[in-house]
Amino acid sequence: MKVLWNDQIVDESEVKIDLEDRGYQFGDGIYEVIRIYDGYMYMEKEHLDRLWVSAEKIRMTLPFTKEALSERLHQLAKEAGLENARVYFQVTRGTAKPRLHDFPDPKEVPPVLMADIQPASRPTAKQTIGIRAGFVEDKRWLHCDIKSISLLGNLLALDEAKQNGYEEAVLVRDNYVTEASASNLWMVKNEVLYTHPDGNLILPGITKIKIREIAKALGIELKEEAFTDKELLAADECFKTSSVAEIMPIIEIDNQKIGDGMPGKVTKKILHAYIEAVNLSVQA
Ligand SMILES: Cc1ncc(COP(=O)(O)O)c(CN[C@@H]2CONC2=O)c1O
């Protein structure tokens, strides 16, 4: 499989990540995941913008321009020959010896870029029936707005939900629902759409940007206000969003039905509008 390694497209067997790479040793790096639909990198600009915001927040200067990175990602997709895919890319703070907590001098230690691309298809089967989730205490750090490769908090939360027989974790901090393990989280109550406001407790999702636009276009009232786990259990509908999951209905949490225990009508309207938006971008 072809991968991007700094400024080269190489076969994955040629990649040499140093043992002292700070991404490998500390999780000292940032990442993005872009969905490609029929050859179109969906919301690419927004993803690249967020990568630069994440870099700034961890005080790392990216050693390439957005244009150069975009060109490399498109080249990777072309050489991989994948039209429907997800491209994962990350930048670590690079290889510093010996291992020290201190940030190395970027003049001596360049960041390391890696990207890989995998086939991806739309999760239509799951979207039709919805998924079951479990509440998990949100014990992550207080920089959840940074799309960091340090994902242990997210992984432990998802594993806790899975150990309890659920497919997803709905994270709760001080009784308020923040998001899911790798998605933003929404509820619908009396036709009003709610989601946790952006800030340091959640990732500002790119899909969330599109949902805002769709809600406005469909005349759905959107309140970016935190809601409690109890309010969520009393909701009419619930769904999660991410570049990969798109809009994914959540029909039960902790074995309690949300609404009638089926994907809700507002959720389905938003999903339909999202796919229409994707198709319009692809055809443009
Ligand atoms: C913690 C968290 N919240 C929200 C989101 C949704 O963000 P986007 O709408 O920008 O995708 C993600 C994306 N997680 C990516 C998406 O796919 N795999 C990931 O790790 C995430 O990891």
Side-chain angles (χ1 to χ4, degrees):
M1 176 63 80
K2 293 290 183 189
V3 296
L4 171 64
W5 182 27
N6 290 322
D7 57 356
Q8 301 294 315
I9 309 268
V10 298
D11 187 275
E12 59 185 329
S13 60
E14 297 171 51
V15 175
K16 301 272 181 292
I17 298 294
D18 195 295
L19 280 176
E20 305 269 20
D21 185 298
R22 292 178 60 90
Y24 179 67
Q25 288 191 328
F26 296 103
D28 185 359
I30 54 176
Y31 81 102
E32 285 291 333
V33 179
I34 297 180
R35 185 70 166 74
I36 302 176
Y37 292 98
D38 296 334
Y40 182 81
M41 280 203 191
Y42 193 55
M43 300 189 80
E44 175 187 354
K45 179 188 179 304
E46 292 81 356
H47 281 281
L48 296 185
D49 289 346
R50 187 172 63 184
L51 186 78
W52 259 257
V53 169
S54 294
E56 189 183 351
K57 288 180 175 179
I58 69 167
R59 301 197 282 277
M60 177 170 74
T61 302
L62 296 172
F64 38 73
T65 63
K66 289 179 186 174
E67 294 71 23
L69 177 55
S70 174
E71 197 178 307
R72 294 178 199 176
L73 294 174
H74 282 267
Q75 187 59 28
L76 173 62
K78 185 174 172 221
E79 293 205 18
L82 292 174
E83 291 270 304
N84 286 282
R86 70 103 184 98
V87 57
Y88 171 92
F89 52 108
Q90 68 171 42
V91 189
T92 74
R93 207 180 296 270
T95 298
K97 302 173 193 265
R99 176 186 178 279
L100 293 173
H101 281 57
D102 314 59
F103 286 169
D105 180 349
K107 290 192 289 300
E108 291 163 24
V109 176
V112 173
L113 166 68
M114 185 283 286
D116 92 294
I117 185 167
Q118 297 293 335
S121 55
R122 299 206 44 243
T124 44
K126 277 190 184 170
Q127 286 168 327
T128 306
I129 57 174
I131 63 170
R132 300 171 58 253
F135 285 125
V136 177
E137 188 184 350
D138 192 346
K139 298 175 183 171
R140 297 174 301 165
W141 68 340
L142 295 176
H143 288 298
C144 296
D145 51 310
I146 300 173
K147 200 162 177 61
S148 162
I149 60 174
S150 314
L151 285 174
L152 210 45
N154 304 58
L155 306 182
L156 285 167
L158 178 62
D159 185 63
E160 183 175 332
K162 296 221 162 181
Q163 300 241 353
N164 292 327
Y166 306 116
E167 194 167 344
E168 178 58 277
V170 171
L171 301 175
V172 182
R173 193 189 288 267
D174 302 326
N175 297 318
Y176 284 92
V177 173
T178 50
E179 57 183 338
S181 63
S183 306
N184 290 129
L185 201 283
W186 311 69
M187 78 167 188
V188 178
K189 183 71 175 176
N190 301 328
E191 312 274 315
V192 177
L193 183 59
Y194 295 85
T195 195
H196 196 286
D198 286 349
N200 66 307
L201 299 182
I202 67 165
L203 184 80
I206 302 304
T207 315
K208 185 172 184 179
I209 295 170
K210 191 53 72 176
I211 302 301
R212 286 193 188 103
E213 293 170 14
I214 289 170
K216 189 172 181 185
L218 295 179
I220 299 169
E221 186 182 359
L222 167 59
K223 291 186 176 179
E224 296 196 44
E225 296 169 8
F227 46 87
T228 65
D229 48 355
K230 288 180 176 46
E231 286 170 323
L232 178 54
L233 289 176
D236 301 320
E237 304 179 35
C238 174
F239 61 89
K240 67 174 188 175
T241 58
S242 82
S243 305
V244 173
E246 298 175 343
I247 288 88
M248 183 58 70
I250 295 177
I251 57 169
E252 277 186 23
I253 302 175
D254 282 5
N255 297 318
Q256 296 180 59
K257 281 184 182 173
I258 305 297
D260 60 8
M262 310 271 285
K265 64 180 184 347
V266 174
T267 303
K268 288 188 283 191
K269 264 171 77 175
I270 292 171
L271 171 56
H272 181 74
Y274 183 82
I275 296 310
E276 275 196 334
V278 168
N279 292 337
L280 276 174
S281 297
V282 169
Q283 289 150 17

